Amino acid sequence: MNTNNKYIEFKKKRELGDILTDTFAFLRQEGKSLFSILMKTCGIPFVLLLLASAYYTYSSSNLFDPVSISNGEMFNSGGILISLFLMLAALLAFYGLLFGSVLHYIKAYTDNKGTIDYNTVIQGVRKDFGSILGLGALSGIIIFFGFVLCFLPGIYLYVPMSLVFAILVFRNVSVTDAISESFQLVKNEWWITFATLFVLGIIIWIISMIFSVPALIYTFTKTFTAASEGTYANPAAMVDWVFIGLNAIASAAQYALYVITAIASAFIYFNLNERKYATGALEQIDSLGNDS
């Protein structure tokens, strides 16, 4: 059980800057409590995802091996395809559990005015895990085909698809209803939602690049040394266990930053929901009537 007196109201209208500011304010305020939940729900999938990512990095090194390219052996072993499948499967499980955990935490937070019952959150994640997995796979396929058909439809579809998990958790609807309602929610609000996601994406990218610096420095140093010694003949040799380890650290930071996206999606959802239906304002009016 966690109780916080500095309650942040989710159910109200916000501008772009307010959404970003309150996202990081909530993370600072509830970070310790939230990450204790995430360790229980996402710890094992997170480790499996890192292992799968490291295996994919190792397997894909053949793409740069001139001997494998000349012999046509890049995909013969199937290692790259297997590692890619394992990484995508682990990513889907981790992504679903992380979003489910964060959003159910926020649901408990808003329902109880800042008081969190950990068992309620974990039970909610377990209940919706199958639906979240299916929703994640379906929304991913929709976005993928949007980008395949043309780049712009992919961007257009990404905006409503970014809210489907919040709709599923907060409205307790089915997978198909969550997708359908996401388009209704962003109707006439697409541009401001896109702008919010775009700015948030830039911020997260900048943060993730900080953790990528060690791998970039190591790669540059090793490449420069090999070139100066005249031994730079096989780019695949750059992918050693040190590089894989540094790349795993960068990947871990990138995956952990999904927490920010999940929190922001809740603020975006409540902002759009308030603009269209004013449910938060109506709840406040009802509570005032009950108090009187």
Side-chain angles (χ1 to χ4, degrees):
M1 181 78 69
N2 175 59
T3 303
N4 199 311
N5 294 325
K6 298 180 180 179
Y7 178 70
I8 297 176
E9 180 61 64
F10 274 79
K11 299 178 180 180
K12 70 176 187 178
K13 297 178 183 179
R14 284 178 168 88
E15 300 300 329
L16 189 155
D18 298 326
I19 292 175
L20 298 176
T21 300
D22 288 344
T23 293
F24 288 98
F26 182 82
L27 183 60
R28 288 193 301 270
Q29 177 179 298
E30 298 292 322
K32 184 177 180 180
S33 177
L34 176 59
F35 275 100
S36 68
I37 292 282
L38 294 176
M39 287 296 294
K40 297 177 182 179
T41 58
C42 305
I44 294 177
F46 183 67
V47 173
L48 293 177
L49 177 57
L50 292 182
L51 293 175
S53 298
Y55 177 44
Y56 175 74
T57 301
Y58 172 76
S59 299
S60 61
S61 63
N62 285 335
L63 292 173
F64 306 100
D65 186 353
V67 177
S68 298
I69 294 174
S70 61
N71 295 335
E73 296 174 351
M74 288 188 299
F75 297 99
N76 286 350
S77 65
I80 295 177
L81 297 178
I82 293 173
S83 62
L84 178 61
F85 172 79
L86 291 175
M87 186 178 69
L88 292 177
L91 179 60
L92 178 62
F94 171 73
Y95 192 83
L97 282 170
L98 184 142
F99 264 72
S101 300
V102 172
L103 294 173
H104 270 287
Y105 185 97
I106 293 174
K107 185 176 187 297
Y109 180 90
T110 57
D111 289 346
N112 301 292
K113 299 300 180 182
T115 301
I116 306 297
D117 185 343
Y118 292 168
N119 291 329
T120 300
V121 176
I122 293 175
Q123 289 173 5
V125 174
R126 290 174 178 173
K127 177 180 71 70
D128 288 339
F129 178 59
S131 297
I132 289 175
L133 278 184
L135 184 58
L138 186 56
S139 60
I141 292 172
I142 291 173
I143 295 173
F144 173 77
F145 278 105
F147 279 108
V148 168
L149 293 174
C150 185
F151 186 74
L152 292 179
I155 295 178
Y156 173 78
L157 292 171
Y158 173 76
V159 172
M161 291 301 103
S162 66
L163 301 175
V164 291
F165 296 108
I167 295 172
L168 179 76
V169 171
F170 296 131
R171 293 194 183 178
N172 194 27
V173 296
S174 66
V175 169
T176 54
D177 286 342
I179 293 176
S180 175
E181 290 187 24
S182 69
F183 286 94
Q184 294 295 323
L185 201 60
V186 301
K187 187 178 181 181
N188 300 325
E189 301 287 348
W190 188 93
W191 281 107
I192 185 60
T193 308
F194 169 76
T196 305
L197 293 170
F198 181 74
V199 174
L200 180 68
I202 292 177
I203 294 173
I204 293 175
W205 178 77
I206 292 173
I207 298 173
S208 65
M209 284 301 297
I210 296 174
F211 292 94
S212 300
V213 169
L216 293 173
I217 294 175
Y218 177 77
T219 302
F220 175 79
T221 303
K222 191 170 183 179
T223 302
F224 179 79
T225 302
S228 63
E229 295 176 351
T231 58
Y232 185 73
N234 180 12
M238 299 295 105
V239 184
D240 56 14
W241 289 109
V242 176
F243 174 81
I244 292 175
L246 293 175
N247 191 66
I249 294 174
S251 297
Q254 180 182 357
Y255 298 141
L257 290 173
Y258 286 151
V259 173
I260 300 175
T261 306
I263 296 173
S265 72
F267 278 110
I268 294 171
Y269 162 78
F270 281 113
N271 171 56
L272 296 178
N273 189 67
E274 197 63 24
R275 290 178 182 276
K276 286 188 176 293
Y277 308 114
T279 53
L282 292 175
E283 289 179 3
Q284 291 180 5
I285 294 173
D286 289 340
S287 63
L288 290 175
N290 292 332
D291 292 339
S292 61

